[in-house]
Amino acid sequence: MTGGREAAGIVSRGLAALVDALVLALIGLAVEVGAGCARLVVLGPPFQFPDVPNWIAGPVAWAFAVCYLGGSWSVVGATPGGRLMGVCVTDRAGRRLRAPRALARAALSVSFPLGLLWIPFSGRRAALPDLVVRSTVSYDRPYA
């Protein structure tokens, strides 16, 4: 327990990550549809999705995911998936992460998603990014 809150487990955190991945996919789809519509207005029919090379799309998607996660953790304390699952990310003292630390945690989380698999083996239910940046993921409400 940290600050009177129970540390969140792998199921809650995994489901939160899945929700966030779906949100990011929907945002990506909306951006592609918007770009296709802009192309349609400028060049005329037919409607086409943009053909962005993987060497551009991959780093852009990575950077967007890092900003989405890090921004959510530093501004609100949780991503939409985390809010849905009732978990928040704080430092070990229970304070919201500052932007540099939240972005570092996000970069590690996006780059090494299997780091979540360390949670069952950790005495404090910490994923690998939590160990590196010294963060804690706990349930938003005090656990009775």
Side-chain angles (χ1 to χ4, degrees):
M1 282 184 105
T2 56
R5 297 180 181 193
E6 182 184 10
I10 191 167
V11 174
S12 300
R13 293 172 67 172
L15 289 173
L18 180 62
V19 168
D20 290 327
L22 290 173
V23 169
L24 285 165
L26 288 173
I27 292 170
L29 179 62
V31 167
E32 285 205 46
V33 168
C37 289
R39 182 196 176 284
L40 180 66
V41 168
V42 172
L43 301 177
F47 176 87
Q48 290 182 340
F49 286 106
D51 186 22
V52 181
N54 288 340
W55 65 271
I56 294 175
V60 169
W62 182 89
F64 186 79
V66 167
C67 291
Y68 166 86
L69 293 171
S72 295
W73 292 329
S74 66
V75 173
V76 182
T79 61
R83 298 292 271 188
L84 183 66
M85 296 307 301
V87 298
C88 62
V89 177
T90 61
D91 64 13
R92 290 187 183 168
R95 295 180 302 258
R96 190 176 303 137
L97 297 181
R98 294 194 184 271
R101 203 163 169 189
L103 289 169
R105 185 180 190 279
L108 289 166
S109 297
V110 172
S111 299
F112 307 106
L114 293 179
L116 278 175
L117 296 179
W118 185 251
I119 294 170
F121 304 104
S122 170
R124 62 180 194 89
R125 294 185 183 169
L128 290 179
D130 297 318
L131 296 174
V132 173
V133 302
R134 295 173 305 179
S135 61
T136 299
V137 180
S138 60
Y139 291 104
D140 232 354
R141 65 212 174 275
Y143 198 80

